[in-house]
Amino acid sequence: MASGVLAFAESVGGKLKKSAFEMASAGRKLAEGLGGPFSMFVIGAGPGEAAATLGRHGVTKVLTASDPALERYSSDGYSLALAAAAAVADPAILLLASSAMGKDLGPALAARLGCGIITDAVDFSVTGGKLAARRPVYAGKVRALAEPASCPVVLSLRPNIFEPAAENGGTAEVVPVAVDLSGDRIRAVVTAIMAPEVRKVDLTEADIIVSGGRGMKGPEHFHLVEDLAAALGGEVGASRAVVDAGWRPHAEQVGQTGKTVSPKLYVACGISGAIQHLAGMSSAKCIVAVNKDPEAPIFKVADYGIVGDVFEVLPALAKAIREKKGA
Ligand SMILES: Cc1cc2nc3c(=O)[nH]c(=O)nc-3n(C[C@H](O)[C@H](O)[C@H](O)COP(=O)(O)OP(=O)(O)OC[C@H]3O[C@@H](n4cnc5c(N)ncnc54)[C@H](O)[C@@H]3O)c2cc1C
């Protein structure tokens, strides 16, 4: 009988993504609640190192699939591999991150297994062996409570919400999984990923984001946003208005048609707080808004609001932070 949790550990170029460690801690907590086993699954050219890393982070069993055809992501190949791993582990919950890959892979996997899916959950609980997950709907206006009607069920969790598993120096039992990729079972693969720019941290994984909106008045003033982000040790984001105007690259856009981010700190500078922007950042743990209009909707979701001019407030904040840090 299906029990426990099998979590997919996402990796890029053989390196585990931060979300893999978040799935490790969330998955273990889920499995404890369900009273079943917990294992993780890694795909790649040489998944041994990733499996060892997961072992050092407290995962005791790692299933692996290695095949040249799995070197590049494809919904067919990866969902076939995960279905093969599920046949071995027989989990009640198949867990993955609601990342760009997870948003493609989760539904493909659920369709392949003929089971249900709960996507983009930001919280979950297990009571009496039953899962209940909370997920934002209507662009973040409402949180829906979802309970699975199938077993197994695919569950995807929003990245950067759950605490990553800490290192404990353990080791994992490694179980290779055979995946039948013969014939034309893989119908399309990702052939190239065009990186728009060199970025230290993906916005979806950033702990601190300082975003600028139309209130910055022009691209020539974004150095103020960049400087505050640098003082805080964070990344730069943007509203769609400034991306559409060509002031900032699309990779920085936060919101419904941009990135969904959950940093520890989100500073919105000259951003009105349209519902489509809130959809991408309202799950940030602490929101600071700087806006000269006290009625701006962004203040409704802000933990701290500064009613003021970005051209005065941003340099003053950056200076104060540097002084506090002694830099
Ligand atoms: C289908 C759809 C999808 C969308 N997707 C997204 C999305 O993904 N992300 C997104 O952001 N938007 C999205 N939008 C657009 C969204 O509706 C808003 O138009 C956009 O977010 C507004 O950007 P903004 O806040 O920078 O600009 P504005 O709404 O023009 O706000 C500028 C703010 O700056 C303040 N300001 C002006 N000068 C100063 C100053 N000197 N100091 C301090 N404050 C100042 C103003 O008071 C104002 O509140 C979408 C819209 C649609 C229809």
Side-chain angles (χ1 to χ4, degrees):
M1 200 184 120
S3 71
V5 177
L6 174 66
F8 175 56
E10 208 175 295
S11 57
V12 173
K15 198 168 177 294
L16 288 167
K17 292 198 76 176
K18 185 179 168 209
S19 68
F21 301 102
E22 294 165 8
M23 295 310 113
S25 70
R28 198 166 41 205
K29 192 170 151 216
L30 253 180
E32 276 166 16
L34 293 169
F38 174 59
S39 54
M40 291 194 81
F41 182 49
V42 193
I43 297 176
E49 198 178 315
T53 305
L54 289 172
R56 284 197 299 279
H57 286 77
V59 183
T60 52
K61 190 169 181 178
V62 180
L63 281 61
T64 61
S66 172
D67 190 297
L70 295 174
E71 267 171 42
R72 283 188 190 280
Y73 175 73
S74 68
S75 2
D76 288 331
Y78 273 44
S79 61
L80 278 165
L82 257 163
V88 173
D90 196 19
I93 296 174
L94 281 143
L95 188 70
L96 72 173
S98 182
S99 57
M101 188 192 287
K103 282 177 181 158
D104 185 66
L105 179 57
L109 176 64
R112 196 171 285 288
L113 296 175
C115 70
I117 179 167
I118 299 173
T119 58
D120 203 24
V122 293
D123 193 13
F124 62 77
S125 60
V126 181
T127 316
K130 290 200 95 179
L131 166 73
R134 284 189 192 276
R135 52 188 301 272
V137 291
Y138 304 126
K141 274 205 151 169
V142 179
R143 292 224 167 152
L145 189 66
E147 291 178 2
S150 74
C151 185
V153 66
V154 177
L155 171 66
S156 73
L157 301 180
R158 185 173 284 191
N160 231 12
I161 295 266
F162 299 90
E163 206 51 47
E167 237 180 293
N168 72 351
T171 51
E173 175 198 357
V174 179
V175 182
V177 174
V179 189
D180 180 9
L181 300 166
S182 58
D184 54 2
R185 302 191 84 194
I186 298 181
R187 292 163 297 177
V189 290
V190 174
T191 54
I193 294 172
M194 321 281 267
E197 73 210 70
V198 180
R199 179 179 275 287
K200 276 196 284 97
V201 181
D202 188 306
L203 266 197
T204 59
E205 295 183 354
D207 280 338
I208 298 174
I209 299 174
V210 182
S211 281
R214 196 147 38 194
M216 295 308 302
K217 308 282 190 234
E220 67 278 16
H221 301 130
F222 258 76
H223 66 93
L224 296 174
V225 177
E226 288 167 348
D227 189 51
L228 179 56
L232 285 164
E235 299 291 315
V236 173
S239 72
R240 174 163 162 180
V242 308
V243 172
D244 283 354
W247 299 357
R248 300 300 294 184
H250 184 261
E252 289 180 3
Q253 186 179 317
V254 172
Q256 190 181 324
T257 43
K259 301 238 163 86
T260 303
V261 298
S262 304
K264 289 188 179 134
L265 173 65
Y266 188 89
V267 188
C269 311
I271 292 178
S272 58
I275 182 72
Q276 296 90 352
H277 188 80
L278 302 186
M281 44 63 77
S282 55
S283 57
K285 279 116 204 149
C286 178
I287 298 171
V288 177
V290 184
N291 199 303
K292 67 177 187 184
D293 174 7
E295 301 298 323
I298 191 76
F299 288 128
K300 292 208 174 90
V301 297
D303 298 285
Y304 299 94
I306 302 173
V307 179
D309 189 325
V310 284
F311 297 102
E312 291 166 14
V313 175
L314 266 52
L317 271 180
K319 185 167 173 275
I321 288 157
R322 286 205 170 92
E323 277 170 11
K324 187 94 186 147
K325 284 183 167 177

